[in-house]
Amino acid sequence: MKTNAALIALDWGSSNLRAYLLDARGEIVATRDDASAGASVLPPGARHFDQALMTLVGDWCSQQPGLSALACGMVGSAHGWREAPYLPCPTDITRLHTQTVEVRTSTEVQVLVVPGLIYAPADGAPDVMRGEETQIAGVLALRPDLTNAARVVLPGTHSKWALVRDGCVTAFATRMTGELFAVLRRHSVLGRLMPAFDADFNASAFEAGLDAARATGGRDLTHELFAVRSLGLTGQWPGAALSDYLSGLLIGHELVAGLADTEESIPLVLAGEAALCARYRYALLRYGRAPVAVLHDTAPAGLWRIASAAGLVEPHEASNE
Amino acid sequence: MKTNAALIALDWGSSNLRAYLLDARGEIVATRDDASAGASVLPPGARHFDQALMTLVGDWCSQQPGLSALACGMVGSAHGWREAPYLPCPTDITRLHTQTVEVRTSTEVQVLVVPGLIYAPADGAPDVMRGEETQIAGVLALRPDLTNAARVVLPGTHSKWALVRDGCVTAFATRMTGELFAVLRRHSVLGRLMPAFDADFNASAFEAGLDAARATGGRDLTHELFAVRSLGLTGQWPGAALSDYLSGLLIGHELVAGLADTEESIPLVLAGEAALCARYRYALLRYGRAPVAVLHDTAPAGLWRIASAAGLVEPHEASNE
């Protein structure tokens, strides 16, 4: 089979391995994913990563020997395939390729892993990311006009608020909004009055949660959360509305803190999963702060950019073998 | 068997049923508990509550016919034995007995359930309590000098911060500190670096969590929480210290918000489980706010006081049958 593939791009997070076959222009030719191959799902040990990769994309490798793979995410953690460094902020986002690490594979395919970032403020705990640095590289590849200055918000299990200045990530903060929502819904008293299945989006309840978060200035979350129960108990919101109230409350607390740390003049961009970005955009508009762009799935563009800088691929030359 | 029992006092919460046999002076003669009889543990339906009570204290009832039982807690919720009302704040704590509800039992024993409280501020969500109103009655029975004015803090799964003025609970707020600690430790990424078994109390890590909470003014909890992971990942705290850091962070956020809502001049009293109160006292002292008293297990004193007001018992007369 003839292909004109140029790179296997791997977005390899804790819970999922997503593989993209990119052509010589960096366009996506094929996509596959495997939730059983997440870096925290696989048993420890390099050979499990090696096997998982070959199971998912072994045919891509054999059809086109010499193809390289570039991976970002928790695959580079201490419990991943091989530990990649954390680069300290400020980090030039165009220099990530200089600190990739190579893993050993059982086949001929070359696999490199992108480093993570660490931000250690003078007056607080350090913060870390793995995978999001590549998404940020993708954001700047897709929107080079944001290279000078941007607040890049990546909503998710662990949302990241990164500050970009002159092409560098100068600072960032993680907010555990998505994970808090999931564990509170599944494992706390707050989930008890909610129906087992997702109801339709309740905009009023989501807005009420956002407004409550803003009214307290992002303080006293452990109290505000209990309202999810008391509003249900007293019948002020039906059970089917409570998960959107909780979502609004948690996203609201994230936004109040994140926006307080973001100058009014700096453009804000959202990047991530479409439904989640839509929720954050809705919340930002309610807070009077419109994002300049909403981008989805920027990891492939970031991996392509890093691979190009590393010389793994030769952009704009089709490799018709 | 001769007894001089005067009342069966029941502290019947979500996860546990605790029974006290009180003599005619209100002193505890015997104590039993059954974690399989918690109001959220039992299957729905009044007969399960009836059976659970008789299994635990049936012999107390048969040895002394005519004995009454008074119960507080989630036994009076919509999913309990029978729903007792929520009394609106301000509520005179000496008038709780006027709103008890009686349940039907399969035996001759009379069982009454104490009402809960509801506080509906003009500018926020309503808040509710069941069981803590009785603990507060116990606090004021044990420390009548606090009847005029006190901030009563009841640490727990759902901590309650009640304001007492002129013998009335005028306002209160719930903070879900204990439940957040438990679900984050058991079900979130924050628990992954912690050892499976409790380590010795790490005072330095607990203090660091308290200080971090105070430094942010109780804001941005969803970010602060992620430090539990990053401090472990970067080796700044060993895994065995992380649960105390998390505890300090969550208790700190509770205290920052609760103290901001408590006048300097008002005496603060802690009431609850001994180890937990010790942790809160430690935290309060670090924040420069000493409690005037630390009381444990005040529910029996509260139940005795309510039973006395209701005429269920005749204090100071031994019932030697």
Side-chain angles (χ1 to χ4, degrees):
Chain A
M1 183 182 119
K2 284 204 168 205
T3 71
N4 64 342
L7 181 73
I8 298 171
L10 303 170
D11 183 2
W12 203 330
S14 296
S15 55
N16 203 31
L17 164 58
R18 189 165 295 162
Y20 305 86
L21 191 62
L22 303 183
D23 70 15
R25 295 180 314 279
E27 301 291 328
I28 297 170
V29 178
T31 304
R32 290 179 188 168
D33 63 88
D34 183 356
S36 70
S40 296
V41 182
L42 288 174
R47 71 186 170 88
H48 298 291
F49 287 83
D50 191 6
Q51 284 168 4
L53 182 61
M54 285 307 122
T55 301
L56 189 62
V57 299
D59 58 330
W60 291 355
C61 300
S62 57
Q63 280 159 23
Q64 194 167 327
L67 211 55
S68 292
L70 183 65
C72 69
M74 292 301 283
V75 65
S77 75
H79 300 285
W81 196 339
R82 184 184 159 190
E83 190 167 7
Y86 286 119
L87 307 187
C89 287
T91 290
D92 185 338
I93 208 73
T94 66
R95 304 285 299 163
L96 292 171
H97 67 280
T98 64
Q99 301 281 328
T100 56
V101 300
E102 185 166 358
V103 294
R104 279 191 206 167
T105 67
S106 59
T107 59
E108 284 182 12
V109 65
Q110 182 189 30
V111 182
L112 297 176
V113 178
V114 176
L117 298 186
I118 186 165
Y119 171 60
D123 60 348
D127 208 331
V128 292
M129 65 166 65
R130 279 199 190 280
E132 293 90 353
E133 72 297 322
T134 302
Q135 294 177 47
I136 296 166
V139 167
L140 299 181
L142 296 165
R143 286 290 303 257
D145 57 306
L146 297 173
T147 303
N148 268 353
R151 170 62 84 182
V152 182
V153 179
L154 307 163
T157 305
H158 298 160
S159 297
K160 305 288 180 183
W161 285 64
L163 197 60
V164 174
R165 295 270 188 197
D166 298 326
C168 292
V169 175
T170 57
F172 64 89
T174 302
R175 298 189 167 91
M176 295 183 61
T177 307
E179 184 161 15
L180 269 172
F181 178 79
V183 300
L184 289 171
R185 184 174 177 167
R186 276 182 224 149
H187 300 292
S188 87
V189 72
L190 303 188
R192 282 205 206 140
L193 298 171
M194 297 178 189
F197 295 98
D198 281 335
D200 289 339
F201 176 61
N202 187 317
S204 304
F206 184 63
E207 289 171 6
L210 290 172
D211 293 351
R214 191 162 52 166
T216 62
R219 286 189 192 83
D220 211 4
L221 179 58
T222 65
H223 168 57
E224 294 284 306
L225 285 171
F226 193 69
V228 177
R229 179 159 177 80
S230 58
L231 288 167
L233 276 179
T234 57
Q236 296 195 32
W237 287 108
L242 295 177
S243 80
D244 282 319
Y245 184 88
L246 174 60
S247 170
L249 198 56
L250 289 170
I251 291 174
H253 273 261
E254 175 181 342
L255 293 188
V256 168
L259 291 177
D261 195 31
T262 304
E263 289 169 36
E264 286 279 351
S265 60
I266 205 165
L268 188 150
V269 55
L270 284 171
E273 192 265 317
L276 198 56
C277 282
R279 212 169 256 266
Y280 273 69
R281 183 172 180 278
Y282 191 113
L284 281 165
L285 293 178
R286 189 160 183 91
Y287 282 8
R289 183 69 193 262
V292 297
V294 181
L295 305 172
H296 309 305
D297 200 14
T298 61
L303 288 162
W304 178 254
R305 185 179 184 162
I306 298 165
S308 302
L312 288 181
V313 295
E314 291 175 30
H316 303 291
E317 285 184 30
S319 60
N320 296 311
E321 64 176 21
Chain B
M1 182 182 120
K2 283 204 168 202
T3 71
N4 64 343
L7 181 73
I8 298 172
L10 303 170
D11 183 3
W12 203 329
S14 297
S15 55
N16 204 32
L17 163 58
R18 189 165 294 164
Y20 304 86
L21 191 62
L22 304 183
D23 70 15
R25 295 180 314 280
E27 301 291 327
I28 297 171
V29 178
T31 304
R32 291 179 187 168
D33 64 88
D34 183 355
S36 70
S40 296
V41 181
L42 289 174
R47 71 186 172 89
H48 298 290
F49 287 83
D50 191 6
Q51 284 168 5
L53 182 61
M54 285 307 122
T55 301
L56 189 62
V57 301
D59 58 330
W60 291 355
C61 300
S62 56
Q63 280 159 23
Q64 194 168 327
L67 210 55
S68 292
L70 183 65
C72 69
M74 293 302 283
V75 66
S77 75
H79 301 285
W81 195 339
R82 183 184 159 189
E83 191 166 8
Y86 286 119
L87 307 187
C89 286
T91 290
D92 184 339
I93 208 73
T94 65
R95 304 286 299 164
L96 291 172
H97 66 281
T98 63
Q99 301 281 328
T100 56
V101 299
E102 184 167 358
V103 294
R104 279 191 204 165
T105 68
S106 59
T107 59
E108 284 181 11
V109 65
Q110 181 189 31
V111 182
L112 298 176
V113 178
V114 176
L117 298 186
I118 187 165
Y119 172 59
D123 59 349
D127 209 331
V128 292
M129 65 166 65
R130 279 200 190 279
E132 294 89 353
E133 72 296 322
T134 302
Q135 293 177 47
I136 295 167
V139 167
L140 298 181
L142 295 165
R143 286 291 302 257
D145 57 307
L146 298 173
T147 304
N148 269 353
R151 169 62 84 183
V152 182
V153 179
L154 307 162
T157 305
H158 298 160
S159 296
K160 305 289 181 184
W161 286 64
L163 197 60
V164 173
R165 295 270 188 197
D166 299 325
C168 293
V169 175
T170 56
F172 65 88
T174 302
R175 299 190 166 91
M176 294 182 62
T177 308
E179 183 161 16
L180 269 172
F181 178 79
V183 299
L184 289 172
R185 183 172 180 170
R186 276 182 223 149
H187 299 293
S188 88
V189 72
L190 303 187
R192 283 204 205 140
L193 298 171
M194 298 177 188
F197 295 98
D198 281 335
D200 290 338
F201 176 60
N202 187 316
S204 304
F206 184 63
E207 290 171 6
L210 291 172
D211 294 350
R214 192 163 50 166
T216 62
R219 287 189 191 84
D220 211 5
L221 179 58
T222 66
H223 169 56
E224 293 285 306
L225 285 171
F226 193 68
V228 177
R229 178 159 177 80
S230 58
L231 289 167
L233 275 179
T234 56
Q236 296 195 31
W237 287 108
L242 295 177
S243 81
D244 282 319
Y245 183 88
L246 174 60
S247 170
L249 198 56
L250 288 170
I251 291 174
H253 273 261
E254 175 179 342
L255 293 188
V256 168
L259 292 177
D261 194 32
T262 304
E263 288 170 35
E264 286 279 351
S265 60
I266 205 165
L268 187 150
V269 55
L270 283 171
E273 192 265 315
L276 198 56
C277 282
R279 212 170 256 266
Y280 273 68
R281 183 172 180 278
Y282 191 114
L284 281 165
L285 293 177
R286 190 160 182 89
Y287 283 8
R289 183 67 193 262
V292 298
V294 180
L295 305 172
H296 308 305
D297 200 14
T298 61
L303 287 162
W304 178 256
R305 184 178 185 165
I306 298 165
S308 301
L312 287 182
V313 295
E314 292 175 29
H316 304 289
E317 284 185 32
S319 60
N320 296 313
E321 64 175 21

